[in-house]
Amino acid sequence: MRIGDAAAAAGTTPRALRLYEQRGLLPPPDRSPAGQRRYGPDDVARVRVVRELLALGLTIEDVRACVDRLPLLDVETIRSRRAPEGVCVRASPVVSRRLAALDAEIARLTRQRDELAARSARPRHPETPSRATG
């Protein structure tokens, strides 16, 4: 199938397929005599797995770190949390690093939120004119 059909079947866009290919998440597809990309059912299944992993919060770089194990996964396995040990979603160093990064970002955002809340709760001094915000 051509790129538009494959993208539609995987629930994404042709641009995303080209990006996944460029970043090494998809192998280069076969080409027609006219040079058009041709995808098969295995390619569509792989794109679905990539999209599911990205939806879980992994980055393209995270997924690329375990690209050799993507054929071991399918979307239902990921969703059911029955993925084999070490395959991007269970007990994987990739997942551990991503969780640590997410925890750090949550902590940073919590501190930022608390600071903003504290500043907005402070009473204004009568001699300090209020500033209009834009």
Side-chain angles (χ1 to χ4, degrees):
M1 69 185 84
R2 293 185 355 195
I3 193 167
D5 298 328
T12 191
T13 64
R15 183 176 180 188
L17 293 187
R18 288 189 290 272
L19 174 69
Y20 298 162
E21 180 186 342
Q22 178 187 21
R23 296 292 181 91
L25 304 181
L26 277 178
D30 292 334
R31 298 275 183 160
S32 72
Q36 294 179 325
R37 290 172 168 88
R38 290 191 304 203
Y39 297 90
D42 290 343
D43 298 311
V44 171
R46 185 177 182 125
V47 171
R48 287 181 179 147
V49 166
V50 167
R51 289 180 46 76
E52 189 70 19
L53 293 172
L54 294 173
L56 285 173
L58 296 177
T59 65
I60 286 178
E61 293 305 314
D62 294 334
V63 176
R64 189 165 73 175
C66 54
V67 75
D68 59 320
R69 295 173 300 240
L70 291 181
L72 302 174
L73 291 173
D74 61 49
V75 171
E76 291 309 313
T77 300
I78 295 168
R79 288 182 181 166
S80 69
R81 299 185 181 121
R82 292 187 324 256
E85 199 70 29
V87 185
C88 285
V89 289
R90 282 192 64 217
S92 165
V94 170
V95 171
S96 297
R97 284 192 304 269
R98 188 67 189 133
L99 288 171
L102 287 169
D103 287 342
E105 182 66 4
I106 290 168
R108 184 191 70 77
L109 289 170
T110 300
R111 286 190 306 273
Q112 184 178 11
R113 186 225 174 267
D114 292 348
E115 179 64 21
L116 179 60
R119 287 184 185 204
S120 68
R122 290 183 190 150
R124 292 183 186 255
H125 296 289
E127 65 277 359
T128 306
S130 63
R131 297 183 190 185
T133 58

